[in-house]
Amino acid sequence: MTAVARMEFVNLPHGLSTGTGGAIYDDASVAQTALATEVGSVMLRTKDAFLRSITLFKEEQGRPPTEWSIVIKDGPMQKKRTKKRGILLDSIGGCISLSQFKIGDSINQINGKKLGSSYNAERATELLHRSYEEDGCLYISVGNETGADNLVHATIIKPKPNMTYEEMGMTVWIWGVLCIKEISKQSIFACTVLKDTDHIISVNDISCKDMQPAEFAHVIEQLPMEIQIVVKRGKPRWFGGFH
């Protein structure tokens, strides 16, 4: 049985529903290349990440609605009873197509709630709707077994296109390399897979290798809709888990 969690709006922009190409993506690519040149950087394609997330915000008065749709389904039954049945992405649309989500990805969390063995697609669907309505935002993280095990990818749909760096609520600094210093509780990055001390690899495919904090701030201020950040997260040697 496939359960459906879908929110659709009639003003879904042309070319945004499938995430497979079109003028909106071509324009974004040109703009990002120009932005990379502006801050003295280059475009960079990273490997797939083992952990990915998307965060979007419910519309408020004076702000256009956020268009999104998602269909999820129960994964196949596992041969080993100790291994839980996954909840998988079946299709995505709207601004969720701007993420790095792929059909078949397994959903790990919805608004910080881990989907344990008691969850199926129907219960997860209810949680999607309730979280979006009650929390005013939707944060979904998915796992990717074939992704690089030290890379994390976060997509954030800006609630307002003209937000300042200070309003976004995240501070970065040079700690050997460009890293996240602090994410405030009110930050648009608070409900993402990003964490303090994460090493920032790229933002919207713009390399952050030699980027300064002020240049990073300029880039994310200039991005009109989605912010895509790839970070590298180290493993403590004594137990092999992630920070």
Side-chain angles (χ1 to χ4, degrees):
M1 174 182 175
T2 298
V4 178
R6 176 175 284 127
M7 296 283 290
E8 292 185 348
F9 297 89
V10 296
N11 64 336
L12 189 68
H14 175 70
L16 191 58
S17 61
T18 63
T20 57
I24 191 169
Y25 295 100
D26 294 339
D27 291 345
S29 179
V30 171
Q32 286 165 201
T33 301
L35 190 54
T37 302
E38 189 176 329
V39 295
S41 187
V42 295
M43 301 301 291
L44 173 70
R45 288 285 183 177
T46 60
K47 296 179 181 178
D48 280 348
F50 85 97
L51 184 61
R52 301 187 285 242
S53 75
I54 187 166
T55 304
L56 54 92
F57 300 88
K58 191 176 178 182
E59 65 275 11
E60 297 177 356
Q61 187 174 3
R63 195 176 80 202
T66 302
E67 306 86 5
W68 62 274
S69 66
I70 183 170
V71 179
I72 61 178
K73 66 179 182 180
D74 292 311
M77 295 297 294
Q78 301 295 323
K79 293 181 179 180
K80 293 183 179 180
R81 293 184 179 180
T82 55
K83 191 173 182 181
K84 77 180 185 74
R85 188 179 184 182
I87 299 172
L88 310 180
L89 291 177
D90 195 39
S91 74
I92 55 176
C95 62
I96 294 182
S97 299
L98 297 172
S99 72
Q100 293 297 304
F101 286 7
K102 296 179 180 178
I103 304 307
D105 280 347
S106 176
I107 300 178
N108 294 332
Q109 294 186 24
I110 296 173
N111 283 38
K113 176 71 174 180
K114 291 184 178 180
L115 303 188
S117 57
S118 64
Y119 273 87
N120 57 15
E122 185 175 0
R123 285 197 66 201
T125 294
E126 294 172 357
L127 181 60
L128 278 167
H129 283 289
R130 187 169 65 251
S131 298
Y132 184 70
E133 293 298 327
E134 295 179 0
D135 298 341
C137 68
L138 185 63
Y139 155 48
I140 306 171
S141 68
V142 302
N144 172 26
E145 293 183 355
T146 62
D149 67 359
N150 63 346
L151 293 182
V152 175
H153 187 290
T155 300
I156 302 92
I157 307 300
K158 295 171 76 171
K160 296 184 296 182
N162 59 346
M163 290 186 77
T164 66
Y165 177 63
E166 289 74 20
E167 287 176 323
M168 295 183 210
M170 182 171 74
T171 307
V172 302
W173 66 341
I174 300 296
W175 192 28
V177 290
L178 187 68
C179 293
I180 297 174
K181 182 179 182 181
E182 183 182 12
I183 299 174
S184 71
K185 291 182 180 179
Q186 292 76 34
S187 172
I188 63 171
F189 300 99
C191 292
T192 69
V193 288
L194 301 176
K195 295 182 179 181
D196 296 353
T197 75
D198 280 343
H199 168 199
I200 303 173
I201 301 297
S202 67
V203 53
N204 288 57
D205 292 333
I206 300 172
S207 174
C208 295
K209 182 179 179 181
D210 299 311
M211 190 176 289
Q212 296 298 308
E215 293 169 335
F216 177 85
H218 175 73
V219 169
I220 63 174
E221 280 187 337
Q222 295 303 308
L223 296 170
M225 186 173 185
E226 81 277 11
I227 301 173
Q228 297 183 342
I229 297 178
V230 178
V231 300
K232 187 175 182 180
R233 186 170 297 166
K235 295 181 181 180
R237 292 183 181 179
W238 55 91
F239 61 86
F242 283 91
H243 289 296

